[in-house]
Amino acid sequence: MEKRFLGKTGLEVSVIGFGGIPIQKLDKEKAIDLIKELSIQGINFIDTARGYTVSEELIGYGLEKVGRDKFVLATKSMARDYEGMKNEIETSLNNLKTKCIDLYQLHNVRTEAEYDNIIGEDGALKALEESKAEGKIKHIGITSHDLNILEKAIESGYFETIQFPYNPVERQAEELFERANKLGMGVIVMKPLAGGAIINAALSLRFVLENSNISSAIPGMDSIEQIKENAKVGNEYKRLSDAEREIILAEAKDLGTEFCRRCGYCAPCPQGIDIPVQFLMEGYYSRYNLKDWAKERYTSFTNKASDCIECGQCETRCPYDLPIRKMLKKVVNILG
C-alpha cells in the first residue's frame, strides 16, 4: 500500500484509509473481520468518531484482536468545552481499548462562534492540549465542511491536521489543501466517493490521490469486498488516463451540486424516513437506469418521502445545507 506522511506528525498513513461511519451497522464479529481485512490489505489508517454510535467500540474489538500497533488511529468529538472534551477523550480511550490515540480531532466545526468557544479559555482545545501533554493523544486535528472555518484553523497554528470533503464533484478546497501542505499539516479527505453517490469508485479515489497535497482518503466501508476494492487503488496506484478522467468528470457534472452524501447527520427524522435512502433510490432511478428496481424498492418502504411533513429539522443538521424538503418533493414526483 502506498503511504504518505500525515504532515509533520511523523505518522506514515496508507493513502486509502478506513472511514468508520458504516461499521456501526455491523455486529461485533463482522466488525472484527473488517479490521483484520484492513491489516491484510495494507490499510493502516482508521478514522472514527464519538458521534458514530458504536463505531469506536466495534473498532476497539478489532484492534484488540488484530493488534493496536498495526494502525494509526484517529477519532473525533463534537464537544466544544473543556470538561466535555476531557470526558470524551476518556470515553474514546476506553471504547478503542488503547492507552493512546494517534490523532484526536474536533468534529464538524460549523460556525465561528463554535470555533471561538473551542479555542477559548475553557474550550475543548485546552483539554486536547492537556491530554497531549499527558500522552493520551499524540496529535490534534480539526474537521469541518466550511472552508472559512478551516482557513482560520490552518493559519492559527493550533492544529496538525485538517479533514474536509473532496472528490471530483467537490473541489472547492484545492487551494486550501495546498496551503495546509505548505505549512506541514496533514490533509485527510472525507467523502472521496461523494458519500457513495459516485458509482465509478476506483476512478474517484484515483482522482483524489492525484492531488499530492492529500495524505489519505477515507471512504466509509462496511464489507470485506469494499475494503479489497478500495485497497486495490492504493496497492496498485496509477494516475488516470485522459479517457478515465473524462469518464469521472462527466459523472461529476451529471451529479451537480444538490446531492446527498449519505453522511446521516440529518437523522433522526420525526416521521421515520430514512432520508439518504430516498435520495439513493431516486439516483438509481434517474441516473443509473435501474428504474423498475428503484421503484419497487421505494414502494416497499414503510416510511418514504411522501410522508414528509416539512418540519425542516433535517435541514438544520445537514452540514452541506441541502434543501432537503425540496429534494424530497422531487423524490415524490419521480417515485410517488
Side-chain angles (χ1 to χ4, degrees):
M1 172 69 68
E2 182 176 335
K3 292 185 173 64
R4 297 179 185 176
F5 282 104
L6 191 61
K8 292 180 179 178
T9 65
L11 300 171
E12 203 171 5
V13 296
S14 51
V15 291
I16 301 297
F18 178 77
I21 292 179
I23 198 174
Q24 62 189 302
K25 299 183 290 186
L26 306 182
D27 61 30
K28 178 180 175 180
E29 294 307 315
K30 287 182 180 177
I32 291 172
D33 288 342
L34 253 62
I35 304 303
K36 288 180 179 177
E37 190 63 32
L38 294 180
S39 182
I40 292 169
Q41 297 298 329
I43 294 176
N44 78 337
F45 183 52
I46 294 176
D47 178 90
T48 182
R50 289 287 306 112
Y52 301 161
T53 63
V54 295
S55 175
E56 283 188 338
E57 292 97 317
L58 291 172
I59 289 169
Y61 293 130
L63 296 175
E64 199 172 38
K65 291 287 186 181
V66 180
R68 169 69 180 88
D69 60 332
K70 290 182 170 60
F71 298 98
V72 174
L73 183 59
T75 192
K76 46 196 178 288
S77 169
M78 294 284 292
R80 302 299 187 232
D81 66 310
Y82 173 82
E83 288 297 337
M85 183 59 81
K86 290 286 278 189
N87 291 334
E88 290 280 74
I89 292 167
E90 292 301 323
T91 301
S92 292
L93 290 167
N94 181 64
N95 288 344
L96 292 163
K97 305 184 188 304
T98 184
K99 293 180 180 179
C100 180
I101 294 166
D102 297 298
L103 174 65
Y104 211 103
Q105 303 155 103
L106 291 152
H107 191 184
N108 191 23
V109 182
R110 298 189 65 178
T111 66
E112 292 206 8
E114 282 185 25
Y115 182 85
D116 290 341
N117 285 339
I118 285 163
I119 65 173
E121 184 177 349
D122 294 314
L125 180 62
K126 179 181 176 182
L128 289 168
E129 291 173 337
E130 283 186 6
S131 294
K132 183 178 178 181
E134 294 166 358
K136 294 180 178 180
I137 65 174
K138 291 182 180 178
H139 304 283
I140 300 170
I142 185 169
T143 86
S144 182
H145 297 78
D146 187 292
L147 282 174
N148 293 325
I149 295 295
L150 282 195
E151 187 175 0
K152 288 186 70 172
I154 286 170
E155 302 300 332
S156 72
Y158 293 134
F159 307 102
E160 297 164 272
T161 67
I162 59 169
Q163 187 176 144
F164 193 83
Y166 182 69
N167 52 63
V169 187
E170 301 169 284
R171 302 175 59 180
Q172 64 271 30
E174 288 178 340
E175 289 185 11
L176 183 142
F177 289 168
E178 184 176 2
R179 175 61 176 164
N181 185 47
K182 283 182 178 178
L183 293 174
M185 299 182 74
V187 176
I188 303 163
V189 165
M190 65 172 108
K191 306 294 182 290
L193 307 179
I198 292 175
I199 296 299
N200 289 293
L203 296 186
S204 186
L205 289 172
R206 287 165 60 195
F207 175 92
V208 169
L209 296 182
E210 283 187 340
N211 189 324
S212 61
N213 297 311
I214 289 165
S215 309
S216 184
I218 52 169
M221 296 178 271
D222 61 8
S223 72
I224 287 175
E225 292 72 25
Q226 288 175 357
I227 291 173
K228 288 179 177 178
E229 289 171 7
N230 292 337
K232 187 176 181 180
V233 173
N235 285 321
E236 303 174 12
Y237 177 67
K238 57 182 179 180
R239 296 178 67 85
L240 294 169
S241 67
D242 290 342
E244 289 171 330
R245 186 170 285 102
E246 283 185 19
I247 290 169
I248 193 62
L249 292 180
E251 183 177 356
K253 184 178 180 180
D254 187 50
L255 273 175
T257 56
E258 284 188 3
F259 68 94
C260 175
R261 283 77 166 178
R262 295 163 64 190
C263 65
Y265 291 139
C266 57
C269 167
Q271 302 306 307
I273 303 167
D274 188 332
I275 294 170
V277 168
Q278 311 302 304
F279 300 141
L280 182 63
M281 292 304 108
E282 186 271 323
Y284 282 135
Y285 185 97
S286 301
R287 292 193 295 272
Y288 304 119
N289 198 29
L290 293 167
K291 289 182 168 55
D292 292 341
W293 180 83
K295 186 85 171 180
E296 182 180 348
R297 282 288 308 279
Y298 176 80
T299 304
S300 72
F301 296 151
T302 303
N303 306 95
K304 42 187 175 286
S306 56
D307 296 313
C308 174
I309 61 171
E310 299 189 50
C311 68
Q313 290 185 32
C314 52
E315 293 183 4
T316 66
R317 305 187 192 109
C318 178
Y320 300 95
D321 297 319
L322 292 175
I324 295 175
R325 288 171 288 185
K326 185 182 85 171
M327 292 167 66
L328 286 173
K329 286 181 180 178
K330 180 182 177 183
V331 175
V332 174
N333 290 337
I334 293 171
L335 294 174

